[in-house]
């Protein structure tokens, strides 16, 4: 109660107008009251040691109190079961006929030490195997079943142990591969990859525009060539001037075709890249790794040829 008053006194004016904070303070005050009562009971009249009262301490003490209460409940249940089992044994002992008890005492008293030990072993074996009767054949069957079950479990345990060892080795191997992939420069993206990708994208866009422009010019030149062939400027088509003009036009046309083909080849190198920039980066990285693999394979083949 005293701690509850201290908690209420620690409320600020803003807390008084905040229902959630006030509710939290009340819950903490109730928890501290429960902890104080539990500690007083555990110390049984002795002085409870002083400690810092904060949220972390409250959390730990609350968990410890709950664990202690669960342990007390389990112990009480176990003690109750033991008392009930003892009462049941006492009832069975009281219900036994006096003649049977006298006969058992007489037989036990006249047994030799080895006979008494054998009788005790027989009773202990029947009890351990949970046998309905102490008949030797029944005990033998139960013992064989118990032995086979134990051997099966032992084999399963050995198999699981081997599997666990194998999985541990595979896990270590996979972690080593992962470390190699993370640390090998060939599998990492170059620092200037973004700039190169952006440059390639700009060049591709520029070359596409140039290609369309040259295609338009080539179409215009081809149209002019067809018009010139259909309507020559000179009446004499076989004159030297007409032939020279046609040769110049053909030469110019061949130059344009060569330039267009060169541009198409240059643009074709970027044709396999995706339109998205991130996807293009991944594709370029994959191609670089593939190129490095092919180079190493080529070098290995060359070294093998040299050794031969």
């Amino acid at each position: 109660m005293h701690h509850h008053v201290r908690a209420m006194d620690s409320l600020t004016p803003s807390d008084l107008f905040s229902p959630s904070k006030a509710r939290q303070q009340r819950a903490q005050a109730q928890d501290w009251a429960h902890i104080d009562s539990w500690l007083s009971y555990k110390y049984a009249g002795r002085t409870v040691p002083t400690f810092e009262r904060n949220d972390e301490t409250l959390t730990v003490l609350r968990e410890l109190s709950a664990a202690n209460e669960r342990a007390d409940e389990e112990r009480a249940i176990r003690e109750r079961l033991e008392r009930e089992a003892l009462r049941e044994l006492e009832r069975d002992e009281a219900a036994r006929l006096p003649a049977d008890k006298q006969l058992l005492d007489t037989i036990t008293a006249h047994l030799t030490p080895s006979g008494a030990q054998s009788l005790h072993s027989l009773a202990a074996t029947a009890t351990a195997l949970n046998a309905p009767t102490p008949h030797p054949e029944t005990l033998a069957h139960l013992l064989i079943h118990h032995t086979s079950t134990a051997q099966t479990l032992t084999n399963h345990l050995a198999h699981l142990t081997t599997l666990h060892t194998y999985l541990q080795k595979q896990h270590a191997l996979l972690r080593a591969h992962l470390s190699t992939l993370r640390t090998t420069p060939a599998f990492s993206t170059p620092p200037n990859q973004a700039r190169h990708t952006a440059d390639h994208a700009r060049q591709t866009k520029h070359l596409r525009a140039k290609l369309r422009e040259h295609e338009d010019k080539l179409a215009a030149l081809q149209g002019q060539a067809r018009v010139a062939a259909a309507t020559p400027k000179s009446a004499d088509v076989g004159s030297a001037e007409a032939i020279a003009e046609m040769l110049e036009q053909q030469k110019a046309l061949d130059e344009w075709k060569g330039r267009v083909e060169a541009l198409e080849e240059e643009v074709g190198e970027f044709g396999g890249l995706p339109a998205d920039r991130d996807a293009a980066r991944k594709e370029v990285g994959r191609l670089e790794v593939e190129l490095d693999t092919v180079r190493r394979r080529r070098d290995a083949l060359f070294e093998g040829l040299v050794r031969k």
Side-chain angles (χ1 to χ4, degrees), residues 38 45 53 90 103 121 190 201 231 239 241 245 247 249 261:
W38 175 66
R53 295 176 179 264
E90 290 176 350
L103 178 61
S121 299
T231 57
S239 63
E241 291 80 3
E245 184 178 356
L247 291 175
Q249 290 179 358
E261 290 176 356

Side-chain angles (χ1 to χ4, degrees), residues 70-307:
R70 288 193 300 269
D72 290 342
E73 292 175 358
E74 293 176 358
R75 184 173 63 255
I77 293 173
R78 185 170 59 252
E79 291 176 353
R80 186 171 65 252
L81 290 175
E82 291 177 353
R83 287 194 299 270
E84 291 177 358
L86 180 60
R87 284 197 296 268
E88 185 175 353
L89 290 175
E90 290 176 350
R91 286 196 300 269
D92 293 342
E93 187 69 22
R96 182 177 299 174
L97 295 176
D100 294 340
K101 186 176 184 303
Q102 183 179 1
L103 178 61
L104 178 61
D105 293 340
T106 302
I107 294 175
T108 305
H110 288 79
L111 285 175
T112 61
S114 60
Q117 184 178 2
S118 300
L119 179 62
H120 177 73
S121 299
L122 180 64
T125 304
T127 303
L129 296 177
N130 196 19
T133 60
H135 194 275
E137 185 177 355
T138 303
L139 293 179
H141 285 297
L142 290 175
L143 187 59
I144 292 173
H145 176 70
H146 181 271
T147 304
S148 62
T149 303
Q151 185 63 36
T152 302
L153 294 177
T154 302
N155 294 336
H156 286 330
L157 181 60
H159 175 71
L160 291 176
T161 303
T162 304
L163 181 60
H164 181 261
T165 304
Y166 172 76
L167 292 177
Q168 282 183 331
K169 292 181 179 178
Q170 290 297 321
H171 182 261
L173 183 62
L174 289 175
R175 291 186 67 88
H177 287 334
L178 179 60
S179 177
T180 302
L181 291 175
R182 287 178 175 175
T183 56
T184 303
F187 297 105
S188 61
T189 304
N192 55 353
Q193 184 62 41
R195 182 174 58 83
H196 285 173
T197 304
D199 293 341
H200 288 322
R202 286 194 298 269
Q203 291 178 5
T204 303
K205 184 177 180 181
H206 177 69
L207 290 175
R208 285 177 180 173
K210 285 290 186 181
L211 179 60
R212 288 193 296 268
E213 180 182 351
H214 291 313
E215 287 176 349
D216 295 339
K217 290 181 180 181
L218 179 60
L221 288 175
Q222 289 176 348
Q224 292 177 4
R226 285 194 297 269
V227 172
T231 57
K233 295 180 181 179
S234 174
D236 189 3
V237 179
S239 63
E241 291 80 3
I243 293 174
E245 184 178 356
M246 289 172 59
L247 291 175
E248 290 178 359
Q249 290 179 358
Q250 184 65 34
K251 183 179 179 181
L253 182 60
D254 293 338
E255 291 179 356
W256 281 110
K257 284 184 178 180
R259 294 177 62 183
V260 169
E261 290 176 356
L263 290 174
E264 287 179 349
E265 292 179 358
E266 188 174 356
V267 172
E269 295 179 357
F270 302 95
L273 293 177
D276 184 64
R277 185 176 65 182
D278 295 336
R281 291 178 182 175
K282 293 180 180 179
E283 183 66 17
V284 171
R286 187 187 68 79
L287 291 175
E288 288 180 351
V289 173
E290 185 176 353
L291 176 60
D292 184 65
T293 303
V294 172
R295 285 177 178 173
R296 289 198 300 267
R297 189 179 304 168
R298 181 199 63 189
D299 296 340
L301 292 174
F302 180 76
E303 290 179 0
L305 291 175
V306 172
R307 290 173 183 173

